[in-house]
Amino acid sequence: MRMKPAYTLFKRSLITSLLASSSLLMANAEAAESLTTLAEQSGFKKTGRYEEVEKLCQAFQKSYPKEVRCLEFGRTPENRPMLALIATRSGAFTPAQVAKQALPVTLIQGGIHAGEIDGKDAGFLALREILDNKLAAHALDKQVLLFIPVFNIDGHERFAAWNRPNQRGPEEMGWRTTAQNYNLNRDYVKADAPEMQAMLKLFNTWDPLAVIDLHVTDGAKFEHDISIQVEPVNSGDAALRAAGKALRDNVIADLAKQGSLPLPFYMSFAHEDDPMSGFVDNVAPPRFSNGYLPLRNRFGMLVETHSWKDYATRVRITHNTVISVLEQVAAHGNEWLATARAADQRAMQLAGQILPVTYKTTEKTRDIDFRGYAYTRSMSDVSGALMTRYDESKPQVWKVKLRDEIVADAQVNLPKAGYIVPVAYSKAVAEKLQQHGIEFRIISSDLPAISVDQFVTSKASLQAQSFEGRQAMKLQGLWQNQTQSLRKGALFIPLTQAKARLVAAMFEPQAPDALINWGWFNGAFERKEYMEAYVAEDVAREQLASDPQLKAAFDKKIAEDPEFAKSPSARLDFFARRHSSWDQRYQVYPVLRLDFIPK
């Protein structure tokens, strides 16, 4: 029997519709799978290689074309792409658009230490859930997220089991340092690593309000699962400290509601391997992310999950942290951004003021209940040291001391104008200033006989062993006013700029990460010309015969300084330093301070 045309058309239409629906369901399933990490697929036993990050970056952009862009912002020494996902519902995908809308930017980075890779998998999961409106549905409406799944990419690809022997999972992970063996979380000021230089360029371009640095601890075994530290809280601009404290405390409160046991200090014992020694909070120097950002008047948050929690637990807690941070910035970002911009203006007035460059923890303590485990301490016949062993089946509350009162330590009286770098050093220093986005200008004419402050060194100490590829230097001495002439081409770095704190941190010798302390000017402290001993002997006798006061000073030093007395070279140098042939540039810190703005 022949079917009626209308029925035939209906049947064809139904089949076409079913096929289309089936194709759509398959496409949606494939899309969902393409946005799922190996960590999720393996039940958080494994983590993917960097190739997965490259694929996911493009897949997120394809799946959420109105909300996500995949950005390459640099290349590693092994020529891998450094990738960031820009995520927002504001439509602002360029720094100019962000500035026009006055939006807060939150930068969240994983894998600065690539074995501590929780942030990568947690970030992808959190971002997918936000974009699918499952969590924090409006967090990206008036906020821009820069998500960097892996900062230390070459280290990430040094992939193996047991790269983190003090950590539970994943089965394999990356390595702590880069291909050039830099620890990126010691490199924020000196910025030797190409990866750090690319990151600083990202900072300068996007000006993030908050940088969230996702880590995993080392250390003892206990129940607490995460620490959240933010600066400014104990350092930096006073008004910005209140906002930093609100960010920290709000995130901690959010995590506590979800069953975590968060704390606001790094959970490392005051004395290694001794639980009863308690804990000491501190302000990190600017070589660290959370010490560097406050110098730019922005928030730096250090997130440390506990290494002895399994990978699934750590990823979940890191995921919760990412969600909380984005919700907090969504709720308070406009207010905090205004506070940060006001801090920029206040920083421009710091010239001539007293500025702390280091902080210290006082001896004041308070008692806290810390959730640890039962433990024993006994002498090891292997190491010969007292060793602590924990019983994770027996939770135990430890009554311990916490030192968390932090005050200013070393303080400097800043110059009234800024710093000047002689032309001989200008090229290298200018490159470093540009990397940090610091304002400077090149002096176009000679500066004859000008009043400057020069740092007069009383003691210069080289670190015995290189650290992060550099032979560190430590100076003792004082700034003293002198008259000097400078050739054109010198650099003038004014303090009337938003990054005035960072300028001081780079050029004041008392600042822990000043360029001088990272060995930038070691050549100036190397003696290149000498007086032969027999010549110095004659010079010494002439000086002693002609200057009774000098003879008295020499005799006194011999009597009071045994090391000097028994050193022939030191005794002859006593006189060589007073001879006209002495190198007046020896052990002179080249950077000068100015109390006036040069033309």
Side-chain angles (χ1 to χ4, degrees):
M1 176 175 136
R2 176 179 287 181
M3 292 187 180
K4 295 179 181 179
Y7 177 77
T8 303
L9 288 172
F10 169 75
K11 185 176 180 181
R12 287 176 179 170
S13 177
L14 179 62
I15 291 171
T16 301
S17 178
L18 288 170
L19 287 172
S21 297
S22 176
S23 297
L24 182 61
L25 288 170
M26 290 178 64
N28 288 341
E30 289 175 2
E33 185 177 351
S34 71
L35 299 178
T36 304
T37 62
L38 176 62
E40 294 175 76
Q41 296 166 20
S42 67
F44 298 97
K45 301 294 183 185
K46 303 175 183 291
T47 191
R49 301 295 294 265
Y50 194 67
E51 181 184 8
E52 177 183 71
V53 172
E54 297 180 67
K55 290 178 179 177
L56 285 172
C57 195
Q58 295 297 332
F60 268 80
Q61 177 174 287
K62 183 177 180 181
S63 298
Y64 307 101
K66 294 182 179 180
E67 294 99 347
V68 178
R69 297 289 185 273
C70 180
L71 169 71
E72 179 178 328
F73 65 94
R75 284 268 160 174
T76 71
E78 293 185 339
N79 200 34
R80 293 185 175 94
M82 299 183 71
L83 298 177
L85 286 81
I86 310 170
T88 184
R89 287 192 165 108
S90 68
F93 289 103
T94 68
Q97 291 169 337
V98 169
K100 185 176 181 180
Q101 296 187 43
L103 297 172
V105 176
T106 303
L107 189 151
I108 298 179
Q109 69 183 30
I112 189 172
H113 296 151
E116 306 166 25
I117 204 57
D118 309 12
K120 175 189 67 174
D121 293 317
F124 276 123
L125 176 58
L127 180 56
R128 192 179 73 235
E129 290 177 335
I130 291 171
L131 295 171
D132 288 342
N133 296 315
K134 293 179 179 179
L135 288 173
H138 298 289
L140 297 178
D141 289 358
K142 294 183 179 180
Q143 172 181 200
V144 176
L145 166 65
L146 291 180
F147 172 47
I148 299 162
V150 183
F151 185 5
N152 175 17
I153 297 156
D154 292 342
H156 185 279
E157 291 306 280
R158 188 177 168 182
F159 209 72
W162 297 108
N163 276 350
R164 289 275 294 164
N166 309 308
Q167 177 178 297
R168 288 191 176 125
E171 291 176 359
E172 295 178 292
M173 71 286 287
W175 190 254
R176 182 177 183 85
T177 56
T178 71
Q180 297 175 328
N181 207 32
Y182 285 121
N183 182 340
L184 290 175
N185 205 28
R186 306 294 184 272
D187 200 43
Y188 277 87
V189 175
K190 67 183 180 69
D192 285 331
E195 295 95 329
M196 184 57 72
Q197 294 169 14
M199 180 63 76
L200 292 178
K201 187 175 181 179
L202 201 67
F203 286 2
N204 297 334
T205 304
W206 289 88
D207 189 20
L209 171 65
V211 173
I212 316 303
D213 193 7
L214 303 174
H215 287 252
V216 183
T217 65
D218 290 308
K221 295 180 179 179
F222 39 73
E223 286 195 290
H224 292 278
D225 49 18
I226 190 169
S227 64
I228 304 291
Q229 293 174 273
V230 174
E231 289 297 337
V233 167
N234 298 297
S235 66
D237 181 83
L240 206 54
R241 293 186 191 196
K245 186 176 186 299
L247 172 60
R248 182 197 69 184
D249 293 350
N250 291 352
V251 171
I252 285 176
D254 286 345
L255 293 173
K257 290 174 186 174
Q258 294 170 303
S260 279
L261 297 171
L263 288 172
F265 57 88
Y266 189 82
M267 291 172 276
S268 179
F269 299 140
H271 301 140
E272 186 176 355
D273 200 40
D274 182 3
M276 287 300 100
S277 66
F279 302 94
V280 182
D281 199 4
N282 72 323
V283 169
R287 67 188 63 177
F288 296 92
S289 63
N290 59 321
Y292 175 75
L293 269 301
L295 301 184
R296 299 175 71 113
N297 308 311
R298 300 298 182 263
F299 301 120
M301 176 185 285
L302 176 66
V303 178
E304 294 272 3
T305 56
H306 186 222
S307 61
W308 291 110
K309 304 299 182 286
D310 62 44
Y311 194 52
T313 299
R314 299 203 315 271
V315 171
R316 172 178 56 80
I317 297 167
T318 304
H319 158 276
N320 294 345
T321 304
V322 170
I323 295 293
S324 174
V325 166
L326 293 175
E327 288 185 322
Q328 292 301 325
V329 175
H332 306 286
N334 288 338
E335 174 193 347
W336 291 344
L337 185 58
T339 303
R341 296 268 169 81
D344 289 344
Q345 294 301 311
R346 287 189 291 273
M348 295 180 71
Q349 309 302 317
L350 285 173
Q353 305 299 310
I354 295 175
L355 181 74
V357 291
T358 63
Y359 294 82
K360 64 182 179 181
T361 310
T362 71
E363 296 299 318
K364 182 179 178 181
T365 65
R366 60 187 178 95
D367 296 326
I368 62 169
D369 290 340
F370 188 88
R371 291 178 57 168
Y373 297 111
Y375 64 91
T376 60
R377 302 193 77 206
S378 59
M379 192 63 67
S380 167
D381 58 355
V382 176
S383 67
L386 198 61
M387 198 64 58
T388 305
R389 291 176 175 82
Y390 301 90
D391 184 347
E392 293 176 86
S393 68
K394 297 178 180 178
Q396 186 180 81
V397 175
W398 300 340
K399 305 284 188 179
V400 296
K401 301 288 185 183
L402 171 65
R403 291 167 51 204
D404 61 353
E405 182 182 66
I406 297 171
V407 298
D409 188 13
Q411 302 184 72
V412 296
N413 198 339
L414 295 177
K416 295 176 182 177
Y419 300 86
I420 195 159
V421 178
V423 63
Y425 297 92
S426 63
K427 184 175 184 293
V429 173
E431 289 175 356
K432 194 57 54 183
L433 295 172
Q434 288 168 341
Q435 289 165 7
H436 287 281
I438 290 173
E439 300 169 21
F440 67 93
R441 65 181 174 87
I442 299 173
I443 302 299
S444 58
S445 58
D446 291 346
L447 297 174
I450 61 170
S451 175
V452 301
D453 284 345
Q454 183 174 77
F455 192 82
V456 177
T457 304
S458 59
K459 184 177 181 181
S461 304
L462 277 172
Q463 187 170 315
Q465 185 173 344
S466 68
F467 176 65
E468 289 300 310
R470 289 188 170 272
Q471 201 79 14
M473 168 79 73
K474 188 63 180 174
L475 298 188
Q476 295 177 24
L478 295 170
W479 292 101
Q480 292 184 5
N481 186 257
Q482 295 184 2
T483 299
Q484 290 197 20
S485 298
L486 292 163
R487 286 180 58 79
K488 65 181 180 180
L491 304 181
F492 174 63
I493 306 104
L495 280 168
T496 51
Q497 58 178 300
K499 298 187 182 78
R501 284 185 173 83
L502 180 55
V503 172
M506 293 177 71
F507 294 112
E508 287 290 342
Q510 285 183 275
D513 289 316
L515 297 182
I516 179 66
N517 294 330
W518 277 111
W520 265 64
F521 304 104
N522 283 3
F525 294 82
E526 297 172 2
R527 191 169 171 185
K528 305 294 186 178
E529 187 60 83
Y530 298 86
M531 183 181 288
E532 294 287 355
Y534 67 87
V535 176
E537 184 85 18
D538 292 341
V539 166
R541 294 187 185 284
E542 290 174 5
Q543 292 180 1
L544 288 169
S546 62
D547 191 339
Q549 290 183 336
L550 178 64
K551 184 178 186 307
F554 178 65
D555 292 341
K556 182 180 179 183
K557 191 165 182 63
I558 288 177
E560 295 178 353
D561 188 341
E563 291 298 317
F564 175 82
K566 67 182 182 182
S567 171
S569 61
R571 289 169 66 147
L572 290 177
D573 270 356
F574 180 89
F575 301 98
R577 287 174 181 271
R578 290 160 171 81
H579 193 263
S580 59
S581 66
W582 183 257
D583 182 3
Q584 297 301 315
R585 295 186 183 182
Y586 175 54
Q587 292 198 331
V588 171
Y589 176 39
V591 178
L592 305 169
R593 306 200 320 177
L594 288 180
D595 283 336
F596 69 95
I597 298 174
K599 295 181 180 180

